[in-house]
Structures are given as C-alpha cells and as structure tokens.
Amino acid sequence: MSAQKTTWQDWVAVAALGVGSFTIVTTELAPIGLLSNIGSSLGTSTSQTGLIVTLYAWIAVAAALFSAVVLSRMPRRPLLVCLMLILALSSGVAAMAETFPALMGARVIGALAHGAFWAMIGTIGAQIVPPHRVGLATSIIFGGVSAASVLGVPLANLIGSISGWRTAFIAVAVLSFGVAVVCFATLPKLPGSESFGAAAMGRVLSNQRFMCIFAATALVVTSHFMAFTYIEPYLVGQSDITPSVIAYLLLAFGGAGLAANVVTASLIDRWLKSVLMVALCLASAALWLLSMLSDVLGLWGTVLMLIIWGGGIGAVLVGFQTWILKEAGDDALPASAIYVAIFNAAIGLGAVLGAIVLSTSGLNEIYLFAAVATALGTATIALMSGPAVATSQAE
C-alpha cells in the first residue's frame, strides 16, 4: 500500500500500534520483578521461575519467523486484533494458573502471539504513511518499547507488590484486550503481502547491508540487556545511592528513552545514520563510565550516565528498525521478522551472559563487556553508507 497522504485516523492507528508495542513488551518483561512472589506461590525456585521470561523471549524468536512465512497473506487488521486477543487470553490464564506447568503453558501461547505481532507491526507503519514519514511512524510505534521499560514494567511490579502477581497479570490481560479493541476501530484495511519462503529469507540473509545491521542489533541488544538486567543490583551496590531513590533513577533512565524517541522522530527520516552513530557512541560511553568510575560517580554522576544510556538506547532501537524498513522494499516483512527474531534472542542471551559474567567476575565487568559490545556495534554501522529508500516503498 502506498500512502502518499495520511489522515488523522492513520496517525491514531499508528499510535494504537505504539500502545500495542508497549503492551507486548510489558507482557514479556513484567514478571522480572515478580519472580520471587510467583515462585513462592507456585513452590518453584526463582531460577526456575525465571524461565517464564527467558523461554518466552526465545519462543517469540521462532514465532516471528514462522508468522512472516505462514501468516503473510492475511489482512493486517483482523490478524493483529486476533493476536492481541490471544495475548489477553494468555495473561488471563496465567493469572489463574495453580501450577508452574500451567503458568508456563499460558506464557508459551502468549509468546507465539508476541513474536507474530511484533514482526507484523514493524512493517505496518510503512504501509500507512508515505516513505518520508516512515521514521516518525516507527518512532511512535517502537516508542512503546521505551514506555514499557519506564512505565509498564514498574507499574506491573507495583500492582504485584500491592495486590499480588495474579492481579498484575490480569491488568496486562485487560490492557491487551483494550489494544485489540482500539486496533479494530482505528486500523485501516491493509492487505497481506505476497507469500514467501526460503527464497525471500535467503535474499535478506545474503544482503551484506542487512547482515551488518543484524550483527549490530545482536551486539547492541545483547549488551543492553546484559547490563539492564542487573541495573538494580548495580545501583544498590553504590555507596552514595540509597534504596529509596532507585525507583527514581530507573524512571530517569526510562524517561530519557521516551524523550529520545520524541527527539529522533523529527530527525531520523533525514539523518538516520548520524542519529544512530551519536546514540551508539553515547550509550557505549555511558556504559564504560558506569563500569570504570562506579566508585567516584556519586548519585548525580550516576543519574547523568543513566540518562545518557537510556536516551542513547531509545534512539538506537528505533533507528535499526527504521533503517531496515527504508531499504527492504518488497522484503520488508521477512527482514523485519528476522530483526525481531534477533532482537528477542538477544534479550534472552543478554540475561544469560550477564549471569555468567556476574558469577565469574562482577557487576562492573558486566558493564565493561556491554560497553565493548556496543562499541563493536557502533563500528559496524560506521563502516556502512547511509540507508537508501527502497524503490518499492518510494513509488
């Protein structure tokens, strides 16, 4: 669909997809702060309970690739509505689970819908808006990821601490249902794409530029979640930071990501590579300083580093997705599906690698490794020329 002129309703639909991305990321990560409560309720260890997050992310990898091949022909509005209803059902069943296998089964169903939904929404912005507004639409849609980090996850954890983890899952189920209703009311009728198979995937994977972006994504997302997973214990270990201010520090981190989405939305369509390079350099530098100067940064130095890191990573995540959409053309769906698969795999890998580094070294070393990996991702992007809008999207 070539959308040279957009209406206010189209932008409402884009905003609805942003709320959808907020919902799916909240659904994926909300249990992180509830693991001990869930484990205590179901009689499982915290490490075993953590599988509901790690396994969820890795199942979403397969779901993203599967959906791109099998579901590509389906009209987008009914498909997305159905996927959000499945997510709502998954969280509702999880809230009622009395055993760990039942909880895991509910999460697996949600992960399947999660991967498919995320793979699809990455391309829908380009179907609704003209090529020169793809960056803005992508910033809005994937701004939900930053919003989930700053609002969704803490709110779910707050609800869980007050009313129990089951109430938190019910709240996520209600939100998912609400998104399904809004998507049904606002999304235009968008056709599915031509079906594709191994050939389309092969074209994407044989494209050196895409492979560079995928490699940078794997490095940056893995390093981000390696560090972000352990941000709370890192802050607790700082002598100048009291437990009472940690919530505000996390708010500053997430708020910076939201602000970065707003700023990059106005810049990314014209200066995508420049925005990415600045954001990557800032994120890498902040991680390195958090590692090397943890004893001397103090409260306000740490706040500054968190703001720089949060803002940088917020711009980076939107930038990678936008770059892929600008170049993919007719292969936008398989390229986006591969990107989402790599992204979700990197979430799980980052948490695992962080645990390994923590067990063998320490928290500061986690942030050092994260800084180095982010710098490698920066170097990968630096060696590329800027993105070119694909002909099929520009027509």
Side-chain angles (χ1 to χ4, degrees), residues 29-37 153 157:
L29 300 180
I32 287 177
L34 302 170
L35 294 183
S36 58
N37 291 335
V153 174
N157 294 343

Side-chain angles (χ1 to χ4, degrees), residues 201-225:
M201 292 288 187
R203 283 195 303 272
V204 173
L205 293 174
S206 63
N207 185 311
Q208 185 177 0
R209 290 176 63 80
F210 282 144
M211 291 304 294
C212 287
I213 298 172
F214 294 152
T217 298
L219 286 166
V220 174
V221 176
T222 298
S223 64
H224 171 66
F225 280 95

Side-chain angles (χ1 to χ4, degrees), residues 27-260:
T27 302
E28 179 177 12
L29 300 180
I32 287 177
L34 302 170
L35 294 183
S36 58
N37 291 335
I38 295 172
S40 186
S41 173
L42 301 181
T44 57
S45 65
T46 300
S47 59
Q48 181 183 358
T49 309
L51 290 173
I52 67 173
V53 177
T54 304
L55 189 60
Y56 185 105
W58 287 342
I59 290 175
V61 171
L65 298 175
F66 175 83
S67 65
V69 175
V70 177
L71 305 179
S72 61
R73 284 185 175 271
M74 292 188 63
R76 295 301 184 246
R77 183 169 66 178
L79 175 59
L80 293 184
V81 169
C82 287
L83 291 173
M84 287 308 303
L85 290 176
I86 293 171
L87 276 170
L89 178 64
S90 166
S91 295
V93 172
M96 297 183 290
E98 296 295 337
T99 65
F100 183 73
L103 175 61
M104 181 62 77
R107 291 282 291 176
V108 166
I109 293 172
L112 293 173
H114 173 113
F117 186 89
W118 199 346
M120 296 297 170
I121 63 171
T123 63
I124 290 178
Q127 289 182 275
I128 297 175
V129 304
H132 69 281
R133 306 301 282 170
V134 168
L136 174 58
T138 306
S139 294
I140 294 172
I141 293 171
F142 287 90
V145 177
S146 297
S149 299
V150 64
L151 295 176
V153 174
L155 281 177
N157 294 343
L158 177 63
I159 293 171
S161 64
I162 295 174
S163 301
W165 65 270
R166 297 181 189 277
T167 305
F169 275 91
I170 291 173
V172 172
V174 171
L175 181 59
S176 299
F177 181 80
V179 171
V181 172
V182 175
C183 285
F184 179 79
T186 62
L187 277 177
K189 292 182 178 180
L190 301 173
S193 59
E194 292 296 322
S195 62
F196 58 85
M201 292 288 187
R203 283 195 303 272
V204 173
L205 293 174
S206 63
N207 185 311
Q208 185 177 0
R209 290 176 63 80
F210 282 144
M211 291 304 294
C212 287
I213 298 172
F214 294 152
T217 298
L219 286 166
V220 174
V221 176
T222 298
S223 64
H224 171 66
F225 280 95
M226 181 191 302
F228 185 66
T229 301
Y230 295 95
I231 189 170
E232 185 178 7
Y234 173 88
L235 295 174
V236 168
Q238 307 309 305
S239 59
D240 294 332
I241 297 176
T242 60
S244 61
V245 304
I246 289 178
Y248 298 102
L249 296 182
L250 296 178
L251 184 65
F253 176 91
L258 287 176

